[in-house]
Amino acid sequence: MTAYLKLDHIDKIFTRGAATTEVLKDINLTIEKGEYVSIIGHSGCGKSTLLNIIAGLTGVSTGGVLLENREVNSPGPDRAVVFQNHSLLPWLTVFENVKLGVDKVFARTKTRAEREAWVMHNLNLVQMAHAKDKRPSEISGGMKQRVGIARALAMEPKVLLLDEPFGALDALTRAHLQDSVMALHQKLGNTILMITHDVDEAVLLSDRIVMMTNGPSARIGEVLDVPLARPRKRLELASNATYLKCRQRVLEFLYERHRFVEAA
Amino acid sequence: MNMPVKKIGAEGVAPSAGATAPVVAMTPKRPPLAETYARMARETAVRVIPPLVVLALLMLVWELICRRAGSTLPPPSKVFKDTKELILDPFFDHGGIDKGLFWHLSASLQRVAYGYSIAAVVGIALGTLVGQSVWAMRGLDPLFQVLRTIPPLAWLPLSLAAFRDGQPSAIFVIFITSVWPIIINTAVGIRNIPQDYRNVAAVVQLNPLEFFGKIMIPAAAPYIFTGLRIGIGLSWLAIVAAEMLIGGVGIGFFIWDAWNSSHISEIILALFYVGIIGFVLDRLIAGLGRFVTHGTAQN
């Protein structure tokens, strides 16, 4: 098993004045190349903090993140993030939003024309080429998230980080976008790490599901393999025994063993 | 606005062939011209007539009050009679300060243009610094808060002492008057850039210069333009006062000169021009702001 992305004994402690809160405790995880891994847990368990640490947007207190055996501790396009609220720049068009990253990543290796073709290629991948001259305010929430995915993909990241990418979408759009992400993963073979709080989403999309205990001092409670063949079909899986078993395991973990205690 | 027009088009085409969609799209392009003009005229009238009516009423009241014998101010009819030459020929130049109003106004506008341009550049730069760096804010903000309360004219003697000339002193007064709102609003705008945009910049690895040009300025543009708009208003306020003191060519001095020669009608005419130009400047910056920030305002 080759460790492509390795989280090595990560602790994270937030300090505000004299008060310290331990958010994450002893997080160890290795992810293989091409794997689709979901991190699931109740809100406030620190899963977004963990993603920010991998992205390099937040520092670790102890431990480290290794990508291809090299430590990464600052943000970079090799770990592109699809943000929960799309985070497109409203003053740029769809095309320019994607081009912003492409221009930086391929400044030396591609000519201007090649870069523009690459932007269009990635917009085509998420079926958003038709809206290339629109501004984010002129397209729907699902479309914005598609553009967000295109922006991340276009940087050719080693690991694609998805931070609850479908959280702000309605159920139908979400299902549609999940299928798109599955198809992209199938086609491009990216290594993907996704934060989610949706059990069905986690089981449907992932090769492995990392379940986190409640914070503070959240740790990895259990890692579940999802041995379902790809490509996966949403409708067929609804009655698939393996799918249901996996779903059951995650639900048990979240609602029996690590029930979310409100305002604990 | 085009709702009724579309309806007409759809009805006209429906019986001939329902499937020819392009025809449906084409028909609304031929609305009755007369109707369009009539609507435009109505919309203009709704905006223009009320202020004109109010203006006429005010003129009437003014005329009635000031027509009495022994009135200290001239009625509008006399103002117009006295200043007819100035209104009809704003371009005359008899040398020295005996020039048409156009030259006075253009001299004032030139000073404002210089002072305001410097203020815009310096204001945005300092505002960015204060908005971006906590230490710059701690060090500079209290200073700014005190300095910005100093009235524009209080700077004039000091700047005259420093520059020993009227022209740069007036420009300095414009600068020092309009720079504060630009600094403060820019700083607020920079401080309010959403963390999301900073994260995007970090992931893409924009360098500080690219971050400034591609994220900061566009994200803070609505705030910056608020500052610029307040700034242009203040500088137009300050120039008239400053020119009264420094003399030479300029609308402020024109007013002061008219007062000294008891040409009250000329003062009234000049005030009218000052008001109109102040209004135009404000609208100019507001329009520029709308044009530049068309994408940023709504998210």
Side-chain angles (χ1 to χ4, degrees), chain B residues 15-16 21 29 49 75 94 99 108 154 176 195 212 230 269 276:
Chain B
S16 63
K29 283 200 171 172
I49 290 178
H94 300 320
K99 291 183 192 326
S108 298
I176 206 79
Q195 186 59 39
F212 177 76
I230 300 172
L269 177 72
I276 292 290

Side-chain angles (χ1 to χ4, degrees), chain A residues 108 133 251:
Chain A
R108 301 240 170 72
D133 293 322
L251 287 172

Side-chain angles (χ1 to χ4, degrees), chain A residues 57 75-77 79-81 83 85-91 100-101 104 135 137 151 155, chain B residues 196-200 202-207 210 214-216 218-219 294-296 298-299:
Chain A
L57 296 167
R79 284 151 292 132
V81 186
F83 298 94
N85 54 353
H86 68 80
S87 294
L88 298 179
L89 304 176
W91 53 88
L100 184 72
K104 279 302 282 186
R135 282 173 201 282
S137 56
R151 175 172 64 185
M155 293 185 236
Chain B
D196 298 340
Y197 299 167
R198 294 181 187 275
N199 286 347
V200 169
V203 169
V204 176
Q205 285 184 333
L206 295 181
N207 63 39
E210 288 168 326
K214 291 184 176 171
I215 309 279
M216 271 186 173
H294 56 300
T296 323
Q298 84 279 46
N299 186 9

Side-chain angles (χ1 to χ4, degrees), chain A residues 13 22 28 30 42 44 51 53-54 60 64 79 85 99-100 111 116 120-121 130 136 153 169-170 182 186 192 194 257:
Chain A
I13 298 165
E22 189 173 47
N28 286 295
T30 53
H42 291 290
L51 183 120
I53 287 173
I54 299 168
V60 291
R79 284 151 292 132
N85 54 353
K99 191 163 175 284
L100 184 72
T111 66
E116 282 176 2
M120 284 318 290
H121 171 74
H130 60 91
L153 281 177
L169 305 174
D170 65 88
M182 257 197 296
Q186 190 76 23
I192 302 182
M194 177 175 78
R257 281 184 282 152

Side-chain angles (χ1 to χ4, degrees), chain A residues 8-12 22 24-28 218-220:
Chain A
D8 197 6
H9 295 92
I10 289 178
D11 292 345
K12 177 67 189 175
E22 189 173 47
L24 297 170
K25 175 127 184 87
D26 201 29
I27 303 287
N28 286 295
R219 45 173 79 233
I220 292 176

